[in-house]
């Protein structure tokens, strides 16, 4: 350790390395802490609790009980809406929630993979939103105009998503590679351009529904939608299978392929990659195009699988949800998959929760953001739950110190 | 549009720089095609003397066809001159870029106005609305500037605006006092900043990631509270009194500029004050020197005893308060109640303005005004019944920002140390 | 003002960077802290300047104990520091840089005029010739260093710490600096001079403290010979020569002709460089850091596509090829900064060993990596190059500098080469590894390859070279025989032509000079 590395500044731990540096306990702790905070929020805003709080000093237990009830009822509804509904009158109704979760999770898996892949190559693709929109636009246009049998149309729809999102992401990679502009700024701008483009195109004869004055497309025909996996009444569609394949693909890409080796090298140390003959700018273009294509597939799944129509809200807040998914999944393909399922469950359950307990679905966003924040700052969660500092992942302070020792 | 002027004049003499002449040529041809293909038939009536009591002028009658052709021909001539000058290696005068952009902008504007069904409007109200609409973007970009000049990326402007708007509506409604609402807006923005500072400075989380996640958090939180608390009790909790608007005597009687700049909401006057203060503080005070040093080379500042992270944290908090004031626009000026996600991405446009304005107070102010103008133009055009799709116009701020960061229109480079946490060794 | 350290110890975790250091710097003297790279000099400086706090021990100023919470305390106590990497904001003016941290204010506004005044005073007094309104990024390195000194003097420093101040200077600039140090000494300042360059140390120092592996190993006298000082510094008789036979030339040839590279700012980095390296010989490229050697090595490997001229390897033109193609043509390359350009710290040792070979058929098929072959390669390289590691799956960043460098060298030598280029092959490497790497380089030469070594360490240059190419301001001054005297080489590194340098050398034999007493 006595050798000097004087001329090298302390390398900032890469974002991805930090994200990957935690463990399962930490993730569970982060989820728990977020649920507790979210529960407090639900309790505090519950009308019954507030009423009880008006005589808090006379009977404090009333407030606590009311708050507890509000929070647990909401979470119970969330759980039932996400996994299993014991009150369902048939088996199909009972298991419908879990299929809804998978349906909602499908685009999250695609978009989450898109963001995760970009993280691994050292880029932050905050532009998944725009890429989802372009994927949806091209897929939707193909679906409406193909006029072919399903066996031919569906591959074309998938291809459309890949091309639409891939080009939109590729533009960001190209601009970054050729001009050095920061991908975050480019992505944000491309998101808004995509959003405006969507509205514009939905008002032109190219996409607008005949006879409608609203920005909405024709309904997709029966030959131009993803087949249902479990048949009616379940909405779960082919997109989920494609999403699974995408997870396998990204997993192979990152861990086994030469291209992945190259992209990871660029992400971890672009200078060393350049010296080793790897073109950093080409890698940026390639990774943004692949990332965009993955996000575009989320758009295809939304149009051809879930919504069956192009509307202005087709991408929802998928792009930003995807960032939280990738962060929670620590940028690994399977981590992203499970994180997407979790947030998909939140979304699906959130609808039930809103309907049956009047707890607004926006609480889901709060939970999502809190989980990611807690995960991003491990010392916080460790402090809350008194988690041991796992071996091999030194405590931040000592990690810094040992790095310093190497430099000294 | 004068922001772009520098790029042509600062081109190095030794290499021929074809970029600008080519851009000019393309734009000149574009505007010629526009006027040639779809010449508007009507005449624009443009009021210029509104709200100025001592001046009585008839509205200007402008023929978009005549003006369009004139402007196009001038642009073609300028582009030709630029090409010729570049070819022969002569310097292109500083005057060329602003002149070109003036004719391009006005030509496009008359063309767009001429294509409406009833092109009669007042220049004063067009510009006055632009100034008013740019308020949140200006405060937002000032908040971004305070952060970024000290080395912290502020993607959370959107969240600062949104929580600012929310707390302004809530406190303004509860107290029936818009000034307390304004204070609450600042506190709201500050709260968002506190999160940003905590995670990016203390826990060294990537600043962009924190910003994005904090925005999601604020969006969820305000949406949830709005639906669960504000909406059911709208009369008590979500009907804020507005901040007053008033005329500044004498100044407001300057033709055009007077009513545009000095017959405004009090928040506009506060904006003048804030921008002026920030400009002064950044360039002329000890705090400014230190802030700039910390944004460029934090370690150098540290070895001279400047507390880098403390200064950064202070700036981030201040930035939140400033951006929060911009949030007050939505609920204390524009309308008087909160609605979920009502900032609609203006925080991101504020960020774009900051970048387009090259991280300087005056630059960011000009860029935000430009974006505000384009926003107001969309409204005005759709009221006048335009056949030009407003969505394409709405893309403009984003497109010019991409051009700016990609170096097509000038070069936009941020403070050297922005985005990297400072870890004291 | 007297600065004294008593039993100062600084630990980072288990690692002891400074072990019970005693040191006294008296006013009006230059005290040199001599030690190898990594001996703990910089850590000690940071302790004195308040950037680190001592784990044990005490610092005294004029026999009063002091405790610095940060650099501002140290500065307030009269200690100034000239950092090895300048602590200057490039886009600020000199005045703004000097004012930062101790600004004068008039009411609310910054008063830069007072600062300018002070800068002019100091500049006049010591002949610095520094314009307070110049932008720092426009100034030459030597002037930037003077700005650093002004920063300390404006704060009325009585003790001045100079951390490896000559590392970035030309010999002429170095002499100027030594002159400035002499003036400061005469003004009664206490100077603490950190260096591992023996010539400078012997010229300027009044006292010398030698540290090795964090410990004081002894006091030395400036009159001691260089080899005595060197052996104190490294702890054993230094083997300055590398065992090698006379070169046996082969017909493999690397020819460079009129190689020119213009930087982004229009400044030429390489000016019409032409030379040849024959198979079986080592050409050592010498020069002060930043005179085009780095760019030469990078241009050879294809990192500067804008370069013009010609580089032919065995008749094949390399210029215009991409880095990947250059590597494929059989060029092995060890970059000067392994952490920045040679290794991916977050990658495993096995992955680093195939960083530029990952897509060769040996390690991949149909776009997939052959994990078994990669692991086997790592085990072999580990044995062959004696890389001390826990497991081939450990991250490269966990290894010591010497072992990291061995990974880079092992990787580059693991394929069939036509040309081997190594920049600073032993920078920051322990003595044992240096010998090993030097041996391997000589082996490549003896295999008949043309070898180019870029080094700023003259010892390494003399140890390896069959011929020496000297660079100054992007120009190849001359290619000289390996037995050229150091003083001649030094003159050429400062811009003299070979004949001028030889002439000056002959004159210098006659009269002893203090280098700073002339020419200013």
């Amino acid at each position: 350790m006595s050798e000097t590395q004087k001329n090298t500044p302390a390398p900032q731990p890469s974002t991805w390395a930090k994200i990957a540096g935690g463990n399962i306990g930490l993730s569970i702790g982060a989820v728990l802490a977020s649920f507790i905070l979210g529960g407090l929020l639900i309790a505090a805003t519950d009308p019954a609790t507030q009423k009880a709080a008006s005589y808090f000093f006379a009977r404090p237990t009333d407030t606590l009980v009311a708050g507890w009830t509000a929070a647990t009822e909401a979470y119970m509804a969330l759980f039932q809406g996400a996994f299993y509904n014991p009150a369902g009158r048939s088996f199909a109704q009972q298991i419908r929630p879990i299929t809804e979760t998978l349906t909602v999770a499908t685009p999250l898996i695609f978009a989450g993979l898109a963001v995760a892949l970009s993280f691994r190559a050292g880029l932050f693709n905050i532009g998944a939103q725009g890429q989802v929109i372009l994927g949806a636009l091209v897929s939707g246009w193909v679906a409406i105009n193909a006029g072919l049998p399903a066996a031919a149309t569906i591959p074309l729809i998938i291809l459309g998503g890949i091309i639409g999102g891939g080009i939109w992401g590729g533009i960001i990679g190209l601009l970054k590679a050729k001009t050095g502009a920061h991908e975050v700024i480019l992505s944000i701008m491309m998101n808004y351009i995509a959003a405006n483009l969507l509205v514009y195109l939905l008002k032109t004869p190219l996409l607008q529904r005949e006879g409608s004055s609203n920005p909405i497309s024709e309904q997709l025909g029966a030959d131009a939608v993803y087949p249902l996996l479990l048949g009616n009444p379940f909405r779960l569609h082919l997109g989920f299978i494609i999403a699974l394949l995408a997870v396998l693909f990204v997993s192979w890409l990152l861990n086994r392929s030469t291209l992945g080796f190259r992209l990871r090298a660029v992400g971890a140390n672009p200078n060393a990659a350049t010296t080793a003959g790897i073109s950093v700018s080409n890698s940026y273009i390639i990774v943004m195009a692949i990332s965009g294509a993955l996000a575009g597939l989320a758009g295809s799944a939304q149009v051809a699988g879930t919504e069956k129509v192009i509307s202005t809200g087709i991408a929802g807040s998928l792009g930003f949800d995807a960032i939280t998914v990738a962060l929670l999944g620590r940028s690994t393909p399977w981590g992203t998959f499970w994180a997407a399922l979790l947030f998909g469950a939140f979304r699906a359950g959130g609808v039930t929760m809103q309907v049956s307990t009047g707890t607004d679905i926006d609480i889901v966003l709060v939970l999502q953001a809190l989980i990611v924040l807690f995960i991003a700052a491990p010392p916080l969660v460790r402090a809350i739950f008194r988690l041991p500092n796992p071996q091999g992942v030194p405590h931040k302070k000592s990690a810094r110190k040992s790095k310093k020792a190497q430099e000294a | 549009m004068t922001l772009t002027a520098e790029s042509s004049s600062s081109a190095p003499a030794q290499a021929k720089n074809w970029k600008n002449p080519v851009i000019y040529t393309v734009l000149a041809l574009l505007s010629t095609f526009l006027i040639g293909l779809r010449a508007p038939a009507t005449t624009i009536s443009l009021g210029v003397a509104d709200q100025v009591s001592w001046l009585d002028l008839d509205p200007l009658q402008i023929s978009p066809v005549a003006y369009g052709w004139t402007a196009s021909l001038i642009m073609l001539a300028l582009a030709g001159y630029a090409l010729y000058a570049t070819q022969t290696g002569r310097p292109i005068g500083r005057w060329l870029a602003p002149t070109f952009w003036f004719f391009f902008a006005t030509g496009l504007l008359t063309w767009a106005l001429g294509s409406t069904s009833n092109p009669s409007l007042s220049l004063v109200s067009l510009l006055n609305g632009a100034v008013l609409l740019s308020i949140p973007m200006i405060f937002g970009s000032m908040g971004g500037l305070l952060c970024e000049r000290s080395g912290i990326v502020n993607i959370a402007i959107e969240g600062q605006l949104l929580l600012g708007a929310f707390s302004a509506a809530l406190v303004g409604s509860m107290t029936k006092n818009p000034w307390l609402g304004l204070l609450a807006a600042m506190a709201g923005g500050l709260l968002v900043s506190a999160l940003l500072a905590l995670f990016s400075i203390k826990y060294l989380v990537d600043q962009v990631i924190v910003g994005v996640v904090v925005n999601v958090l604020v969006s969820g939180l305000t949406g949830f509270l709005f639906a669960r608390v504000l909406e059911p009790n709208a009369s008590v909790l979500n009907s804020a009194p507005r901040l007053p608007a008033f005329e500044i005597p004498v100044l407001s009687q300057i033709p055009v500029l007077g009513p545009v700049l000095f017959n405004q909401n009090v928040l506009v006057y506060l904006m003048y004050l804030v921008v002026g203060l920030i400009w002064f503080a950044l360039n002329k005070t000890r705090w400014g020197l230190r802030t700039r040093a910390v944004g460029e080379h934090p370690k150098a500042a540290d070895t001279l005893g400047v507390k880098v992270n403390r200064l950064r944290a202070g700036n981030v908090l201040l930035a939140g308060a400033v951006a929060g004031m911009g949030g007050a626009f939505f609920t204390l000026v524009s309308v008087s109640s909160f609605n979920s996600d009502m900032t609609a991405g203006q925080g991101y446009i504020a960020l774009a303005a900051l970048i387009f304005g090259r991280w300087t107070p005056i630059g960011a102010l000009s860029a935000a005004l430009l974006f505000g103008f384009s926003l107001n133009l969309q409204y005005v055009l759709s009221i006048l019944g335009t056949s030009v799709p407003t969505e394409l116009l709405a893309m403009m701020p984003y497109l010019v920002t991409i051009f700016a960061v990609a170096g097509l229109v000038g070069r936009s480079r941020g403070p050297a140390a922005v985005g990297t946490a400072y870890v004291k060794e | 003002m007297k600065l004294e350290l008593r039993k100062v110890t600084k630990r980072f975790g288990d690692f002891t960077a400074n072990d019970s250091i005693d040191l006294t710097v008296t006013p009006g003297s230059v005290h040199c802290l001599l030690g190898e790279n990594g001996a703990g000099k910089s850590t000690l400086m940071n302790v004195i300047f308040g950037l680190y706090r001592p784990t044990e021990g005490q610092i005294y100023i004029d026999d009063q104990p002091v405790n610095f919470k940060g650099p501002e305390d140290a500065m307030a106590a009269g200690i100034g520091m000239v950092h090895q990497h300048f602590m200057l904001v490039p886009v600020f003016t000199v005045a703004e840089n000097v004012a930062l941290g101790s600004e004068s204010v008039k009411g609310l506004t910054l008063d830069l005029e007072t600062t300018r005044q002070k800068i002019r005073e100091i500049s006049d007094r010591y002949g610095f010739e520094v314009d307070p309104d110049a932008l720092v990024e426009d100034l030459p390195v030597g002037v930037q260093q003077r700005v650093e000194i002004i920063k300390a003097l404006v704060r009325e420093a009585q003790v001045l710490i100079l951390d490896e101040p000559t590392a970035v200077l030309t010999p002429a600039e170095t002499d100027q600096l030594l002159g400035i140090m002499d003036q400061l000494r005469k003004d009664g300042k206490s100077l603490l001079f950190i260096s591992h360059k023996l010539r400078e140390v012997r010229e300027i120092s009044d006292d010398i403290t030698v540290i090795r592996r964090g410990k004081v190993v002894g006091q030395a006298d400036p009159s001691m010979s260089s080899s005595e000082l060197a052996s104190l510094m490294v702890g054993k008789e230094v083997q300055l020569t590398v065992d090698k036979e006379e070169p046996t030339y082969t017909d493999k040839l690397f020819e460079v002709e009129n190689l020119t590279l213009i930087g982004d700012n229009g400044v030429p980095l390489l000016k019409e460089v032409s030379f040849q390296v024959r198979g079986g010989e080592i050409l050592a490229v010498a020069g002060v850091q930043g005179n085009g050697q780095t760019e030469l090595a990078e241009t050879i490997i294809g990192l500067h596509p804008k370069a013009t001229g010609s580089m032919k390897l065995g008749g094949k033109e390399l210029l215009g090829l991409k880095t990947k193609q250059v590597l494929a043509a059989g060029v092995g390359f060890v970059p000067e900064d392994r952490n920045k350009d040679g290794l991916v710290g977050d990658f495993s040792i096995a992955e680093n060993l195939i960083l530029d070979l990952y897509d060769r058929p040996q390690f991949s098929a149909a776009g997939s990596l052959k994990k078994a072959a990669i692991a086997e390669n790592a085990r072999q390289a580990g044995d062959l190059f004696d890389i001390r590691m826990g497991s081939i799956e450990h991250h490269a960043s966990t290894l010591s500098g010497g072992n990291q460098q061995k990974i880079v060298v092992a990787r580059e030598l693991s394929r069939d080469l036509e040309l081997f280029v190594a920049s600073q092959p032993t920078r920051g490497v322990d003595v044992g590894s240096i010998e090993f790497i030097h041996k391997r380089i000589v082996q490549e030469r003896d295999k008949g390859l043309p070898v180019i070594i870029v080094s700023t360490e003259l010892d390494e240059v003399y140890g390896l070279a069959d011929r020496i190419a000297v660079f100054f301001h992007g120009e190849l001054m001359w290619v000289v025989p390996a037995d050229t005297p150091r003083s001649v080489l030094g003159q050429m590194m400062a811009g003299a032509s070979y004949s001028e340098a030889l002439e000056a050398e002959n004159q210098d034999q006659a009269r002893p000079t203090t280098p700073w007493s002339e020419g200013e």
Side-chain angles (χ1 to χ4, degrees), chain B residues 40-388:
Chain B
T42 45
T43 301
I44 301 171
S45 152
L46 188 68
V48 288
D50 307 65
Q51 298 177 41
V52 181
S53 51
W54 55 271
L55 191 71
D56 191 18
L57 279 179
D58 284 335
L60 292 177
Q61 302 296 323
I62 302 167
S63 157
V65 184
Y67 188 81
W69 279 111
T70 316
S72 291
L73 289 176
I74 292 175
M75 274 187 278
L76 283 173
L78 289 173
Y81 171 73
L83 287 173
Y84 167 75
T86 309
Q87 174 63 37
T88 54
R90 290 172 197 211
I92 299 175
R94 270 178 171 275
W95 54 270
L96 192 137
T99 319
F100 182 91
W101 288 109
F102 172 81
F103 281 106
F104 179 72
T106 52
L108 205 62
L109 190 62
T110 45
W111 179 80
L113 287 173
S115 65
T116 56
S117 48
N118 178 24
S120 149
L121 74 164
S122 141
L123 183 62
V124 166
S125 71
L126 183 66
L127 295 178
N128 185 292
V131 171
L132 194 65
L133 284 182
S134 46
I135 289 297
M137 288 181 271
I138 294 172
F139 277 111
S141 62
M142 291 304 133
L145 185 131
L146 287 170
C147 265
E148 304 216 345
R149 286 305 287 263
S150 68
I152 304 280
V153 177
N154 190 357
I155 297 279
I157 301 174
E158 179 76 4
Q160 290 159 343
L161 289 179
L162 192 59
L163 197 61
F166 177 85
S167 12
L170 183 66
V171 173
S173 310
M174 285 165 71
T175 60
K176 301 283 166 225
N177 183 335
W179 298 102
L180 290 177
L182 184 62
L183 272 182
M186 294 168 73
L190 194 110
L191 205 62
V192 176
S193 269
L195 271 181
L196 180 63
L198 176 73
F199 282 92
S200 62
I201 298 172
K202 181 152 166 58
Y203 292 122
L204 308 178
V205 187
D206 184 287
Q207 296 163 7
V208 176
I209 290 180
V210 184
V212 171
V213 176
V214 163
N215 284 344
V216 172
L217 179 68
V218 174
S219 163
L221 197 64
T222 52
F224 176 76
L225 291 175
F226 166 69
R228 204 158 152 98
V229 181
L230 261 55
E231 214 176 14
N233 313 298
S235 57
V236 200
L237 297 179
N238 200 15
S239 50
R242 302 210 189 177
L243 284 168
F246 54 84
E247 214 173 306
I248 293 181
V250 186
L251 286 178
S252 65
Q253 290 302 307
I254 305 168
V256 187
L257 281 185
V260 168
L261 297 178
F262 302 109
N263 186 4
Q264 282 284 17
N265 191 278
V266 66
L267 202 55
V268 175
Y269 304 132
L270 275 176
M271 179 271 284
Y272 300 153
L273 198 67
V274 166
V275 175
L277 272 178
I278 289 179
W279 177 84
F280 175 79
L282 194 67
N283 294 306
K284 302 285 172 194
T285 69
R286 172 159 67 186
W287 170 86
L289 185 74
R290 292 184 171 194
T291 295
R292 287 183 283 135
V294 159
E296 292 285 345
H297 195 333
K299 196 165 179 198
D302 188 17
T303 57
L304 294 173
V306 176
K307 299 279 176 240
V308 174
N309 283 334
R310 198 185 296 170
L311 182 68
R312 283 184 168 181
N315 276 14
V316 173
L317 293 180
L318 188 63
V322 170
M325 289 173 81
F329 169 82
F330 295 98
T331 46
L332 297 178
V333 176
S334 178
V335 291
S336 57
S337 61
F338 182 80
N339 206 335
S340 59
D341 285 328
M342 72 188 303
T343 47
Q346 293 216 15
Y348 292 106
I349 311 189
L351 187 68
L354 175 65
I355 295 163
F356 192 49
R358 299 180 191 194
W359 284 268
T360 64
I362 305 302
L365 172 74
S366 318
L369 283 171
L370 181 68
F371 293 170
F373 181 77
S374 108
L375 196 60
N376 194 36
L377 194 61
Q378 291 164 44
Y379 296 144
V380 171
L381 284 180
S382 54
I383 289 168
L384 297 178
T386 181
S387 53
V388 181

Side-chain angles (χ1 to χ4, degrees), chain B residues 14 280 283-294 296-297 299-307 422 424-425, chain C residues 49 51-52 71-72 75 83 86-92 96-97 99-103 105 108-110 151 155 266:
Chain B
Q14 66 265 33
F280 175 79
N283 294 306
K284 302 285 172 194
T285 69
R286 172 159 67 186
W287 170 86
L289 185 74
R290 292 184 171 194
T291 295
R292 287 183 283 135
V294 159
E296 292 285 345
H297 195 333
K299 196 165 179 198
D302 188 17
T303 57
L304 294 173
V306 176
K307 299 279 176 240
Y422 183 66
K424 204 177 166 103
E425 287 179 27
Chain C
F49 195 55
L51 285 164
Y52 297 163
E72 61 279 11
M75 284 184 292
H83 297 266
F86 301 149
M87 291 299 158
L88 298 170
V89 182
V91 297
F92 276 17
E96 286 177 316
N97 266 297
L100 185 64
S102 60
E103 305 85 348
V105 284
L108 277 175
T109 53
L110 204 58
K151 266 164 67 178
R155 288 165 174 76

Side-chain angles (χ1 to χ4, degrees), chain C residues 388-404:
Chain C
R388 313 270 167 85
M389 56 185 172
S391 146
I392 57 165
E393 291 305 318
H394 283 178
H395 283 184
S397 56
T398 60
L399 298 183
S400 72
N403 283 311
Q404 289 181 339

Side-chain angles (χ1 to χ4, degrees), chain C residues 43-59:
Chain C
T43 308
L44 191 65
M45 291 314 103
N46 287 330
V47 168
I48 299 174
F49 195 55
L51 285 164
Y52 297 163
R53 285 196 226 167
T55 318
E56 286 159 25
Q58 184 67 52
I59 302 172

Side-chain angles (χ1 to χ4, degrees), chain A residues 21-212:
Chain A
N23 61 3
I24 295 291
L26 209 60
S27 305
I28 295 173
V31 173
L32 269 180
S34 310
F35 266 86
I36 293 169
L37 276 181
L40 287 174
L41 193 61
I42 295 170
T45 53
D46 177 55
T49 315
Q50 283 169 347
K51 200 175 277 173
S54 61
Y55 56 89
F56 181 81
F57 291 103
R59 291 221 315 266
T61 46
D62 273 17
T63 314
L64 297 180
V65 168
W68 176 256
T69 314
T72 47
E73 272 181 358
Y75 283 147
M76 210 53 187
L78 183 78
F79 180 82
Q80 290 180 359
F83 298 107
Y84 179 76
N85 176 13
R89 265 165 287 170
S90 63
F91 178 67
Q93 273 190 7
Q94 285 169 358
I95 64 153
R96 194 168 187 279
I98 181 78
T99 67
E100 272 303 293
T101 292
L102 297 181
T103 311
V104 177
T106 299
L108 284 176
I109 297 172
F110 285 120
L113 286 173
V115 178
L117 183 67
S118 73
F119 273 139
R120 295 292 288 270
L123 297 180
F124 187 5
N125 180 11
I126 192 174
Q129 186 77 14
Q131 295 143 18
V132 172
I133 290 175
L134 263 287
L137 272 173
V138 179
S139 285
W141 181 79
V142 169
I144 292 165
N145 296 299
L148 296 167
T153 309
I154 288 169
L156 283 178
I157 291 173
I158 295 170
L159 195 66
I162 290 174
I163 290 174
I167 288 177
W168 211 245
I171 291 174
I172 297 171
L174 188 75
L175 285 171
K176 161 129 190 144
K178 296 297 170 201
T179 70
H182 200 290
E183 78 276 4
V184 167
I185 308 299
L186 292 172
S187 303
I188 292 172
M189 302 306 140
M190 292 293 277
N191 283 346
Y192 284 101
I193 293 173
N196 279 302
L197 189 67
L198 173 69
V199 180
Y200 170 66
L201 290 177
L202 283 175
K203 285 184 188 168
T204 61
L206 186 70
L207 284 178
Q208 194 167 31
R209 183 180 296 184
E210 220 164 289
S212 169

